[in-house]
Amino acid sequence: MEDHSSFLPNPFTPDFGRRPALLVGRQSLLESIGRSLYIGPGDQGFTRLLLGQRGSGKTTILAEVREQAAFSGLLVLDVDAATPGLLGRISSCIADARERYEAADPSKTPVPRRDRRLAGLTLGPVGINWQDMPEQRPRWSLGYYLETLSSWAADQGSAVLLTVDEMHAGDREELRRLASDIQDITKIKELPLAFVGAGLPEMAYTILEDKKMTFFHRCFRDGMPSINHDDAWRCLRLTVEESDGEVHDDALRLMAAAAADGLPYKLQSIGHHAWDLSGSPERPIDARAAEMAVEMAGQDMAEKVISPMWHDLGETDQSFLKALSACGGTGAPRDIARRLPESSSRSLARAERRLAAAGHVHRTNGGKVQLAGVLTAEAVQGLAASEAEYDLGNIDPASLSPDESTGACNAYMPRARAKCVLARGHKGGHRSRR
């Protein structure tokens, strides 16, 4: 049997929501969040939203913020809105937190487990007696309990932090209730209930346009920045070296260039494949392994990021992107409209607005519409080509069988021992003769 005792885990983590060994390109964002949490309810960023595409690092940022906030003495509540029952999960989370803090020794100062990750978000620990945390009574609503917890935290010189991931998938009624409660507690009564939510950019024209959730509309918004070349270079090199591996300079150049201006997911995917292909840490990552890793990471992006992103779009938005990609990725609004004569100017303007909010297009200084992000002209054309294979308008009638070319029903009729000659999709029973 093969001995696996010497195998080391791959230090790169191309998994959605899994925290990387080294977090790069996020220090200014973490500093901004930490500053807002330190200032308190009077700061606009005390309640904020993180908007970004899949693989942009939203969940990782939430995890970093929660860890440092807990280390600093805040009561941290962590939930997601991916499925109905959000308000109930918050109540359960409070109960879990209560048990966790009651079991802890308040005389001991907690120590952060990953302090090199947490640079940029420093609040400073505070002394809190968690055993005095108020317990919810049967007749209390969730909103009143959050208010009670926030008031208690204020007396302790601390705060409550609520993070909600996957907000784009949230139930509207639950999000409306939560928005109303947070607004009343934080903005009106000015109690220390901090809120950090995360979701896809499409929230800008769905949840954030809901007239009954104006609080979320007024929350401070952060876009998730792309990874620049220097950050990609540093992340790849340090992650390999800190895992006792080695990477050649030419390989590092190839990988950093491919990851630059992209999503953290792609960066981690490139590193992950390069590590495995080269046989690290026993052997160094060379240029050949780097080239193959970049190609494989591109396939990962197409399957796990680009394709789901495309299928999340409506038909009008997809048609808009197809027309724009046919213009080479950049086109004047009239050029796009000429390619979509069946669409009204109003629907195209709305499509551009939605796509801009989602980060798929933007306007150039010259007023043209340009593709942005991972949905490049090449990617859109590839997706459109795969769909066109099912378009009957592209099929040569001469290549069809007689039944296919005439569109016959062709259903077998046992009694007549014949096939139906009526047109496919006909009403009524089958017929063997016309």
Side-chain angles (χ1 to χ4, degrees):
M1 181 179 294
E2 188 176 0
D3 180 17
H4 296 279
S5 60
S6 62
F7 286 9
L8 295 176
N10 194 312
F12 293 95
T13 56
D15 298 318
F16 296 100
R18 188 177 171 191
R19 300 166 74 180
L22 181 65
L23 186 64
V24 296
R26 299 293 183 261
Q27 183 172 356
S28 61
L29 176 56
L30 288 171
E31 288 175 350
S32 174
I33 297 173
R35 184 167 53 251
S36 296
L37 293 179
Y38 179 80
I39 294 173
D43 187 86
Q44 183 185 11
F46 197 66
T47 56
R48 66 172 67 209
L49 296 173
L50 307 178
L51 303 182
Q53 298 291 355
R54 294 178 177 86
S56 61
K58 303 182 299 298
T59 302
T60 296
I61 290 297
L62 288 182
E64 299 296 326
V65 171
R66 287 194 301 268
E67 182 171 297
Q68 182 59 22
F71 168 67
S72 300
L74 275 69
L75 171 60
V76 177
L77 309 175
D78 165 30
V79 294
D80 69 79
T83 56
L86 169 63
L87 303 184
R89 284 195 292 276
I90 296 176
S91 295
S92 298
C93 186
I94 295 174
D96 292 342
R98 183 182 178 83
E99 293 180 2
R100 183 169 62 252
Y101 287 122
E102 284 179 347
D105 184 351
S107 65
K108 295 181 180 179
T109 301
V111 178
R113 295 186 298 276
R114 292 175 286 271
D115 51 355
R116 65 189 175 95
R117 275 203 187 123
L118 300 169
L121 180 63
T122 304
L123 304 177
V126 296
I128 293 181
N129 184 2
W130 296 112
Q131 279 70 18
D132 291 337
M133 184 189 303
E135 187 172 1
Q136 185 173 13
R137 298 179 182 178
R139 294 185 179 181
W140 285 4
S141 66
L142 174 61
Y144 186 75
Y145 192 22
L146 286 173
E147 179 183 338
T148 302
L149 285 177
S150 301
S151 180
W152 165 80
D155 293 339
Q156 299 277 342
S158 182
V160 178
L161 170 63
L162 171 63
T163 67
V164 180
D165 203 358
E166 304 289 338
M167 283 186 61
H168 57 273
D171 178 83
R172 290 291 184 94
E173 291 300 324
E174 291 183 317
L175 289 175
R176 288 168 182 164
R177 180 68 267 164
L178 182 61
S180 178
D181 288 340
I182 298 176
Q183 178 172 271
D184 179 63
I185 296 168
T186 305
K187 298 302 182 182
I188 298 177
K189 296 177 180 176
E190 297 185 347
L191 292 172
L193 173 59
F195 172 78
V196 183
L200 297 178
E202 67 189 44
M203 285 174 53
Y205 55 86
T206 55
I207 292 172
L208 298 184
E209 287 192 345
D210 191 314
K211 295 180 180 179
K212 296 183 180 180
M213 286 189 274
T214 55
F215 165 74
F216 289 142
H217 183 77
R218 293 194 293 267
C219 282
F220 189 85
R221 299 187 203 179
D222 291 295
M224 300 301 295
S226 59
I227 298 297
N228 64 38
H229 182 276
D230 291 344
D231 285 334
W233 177 287
R234 184 163 63 93
C235 178
L236 290 164
R237 182 175 64 83
L238 291 180
T239 301
V240 170
E241 291 179 354
E242 290 180 6
S243 300
D244 298 324
E246 181 185 354
V247 55
H248 292 169
D249 286 343
D250 54 352
L252 188 55
R253 281 194 295 270
L254 284 170
M255 294 189 293
D261 298 325
L263 300 176
Y265 172 80
K266 185 176 183 180
L267 171 64
Q268 293 295 320
S269 180
I270 291 173
H272 183 88
H273 288 302
W275 180 274
D276 283 349
L277 289 167
S278 63
S280 292
E282 287 78 13
R283 291 184 290 275
I285 299 175
D286 57 18
R288 177 56 181 159
E291 290 176 355
M292 295 175 63
V294 168
E295 181 178 351
M296 294 174 71
Q299 295 172 356
D300 288 344
M301 284 288 295
E303 177 183 348
K304 299 179 181 180
V305 176
I306 296 175
S307 182
M309 187 183 297
W310 175 258
H311 293 297
D312 281 344
L313 300 173
E315 290 188 9
T316 301
D317 295 353
Q318 289 182 354
S319 297
F320 188 101
L321 292 177
K322 291 176 185 178
L324 185 54
S325 68
C327 296
T330 303
R334 289 187 177 182
D335 294 333
I336 299 171
R338 289 191 187 98
R339 295 178 181 274
L340 299 171
E342 70 283 359
S343 301
S344 67
S345 58
R346 185 178 183 183
S347 66
L348 292 178
R350 286 180 173 178
E352 182 192 346
R353 179 170 174 267
R354 289 192 298 267
L355 293 168
H360 299 314
V361 302
H362 67 88
R363 285 286 183 124
T364 66
N365 293 333
K368 291 187 175 182
V369 184
Q370 187 174 60
L371 287 170
V374 298
L375 281 178
T376 61
E378 181 180 4
V380 172
Q381 289 167 4
L383 290 162
S386 64
E387 294 176 356
E389 295 177 357
Y390 294 90
D391 186 356
L392 293 177
N394 294 332
I395 298 177
D396 182 4
S399 67
L400 299 175
S401 66
D403 288 334
E404 290 175 322
S405 61
T406 59
C409 173
N410 210 31
Y412 182 68
M413 303 168 63
R415 291 186 180 180
R417 296 182 181 180
K419 294 181 180 180
C420 179
V421 297
L422 297 180
R424 189 181 294 119
H426 65 84
K427 296 181 180 180
H430 299 298
R431 293 184 183 179
S432 59
R433 297 179 183 178
R434 293 189 182 276

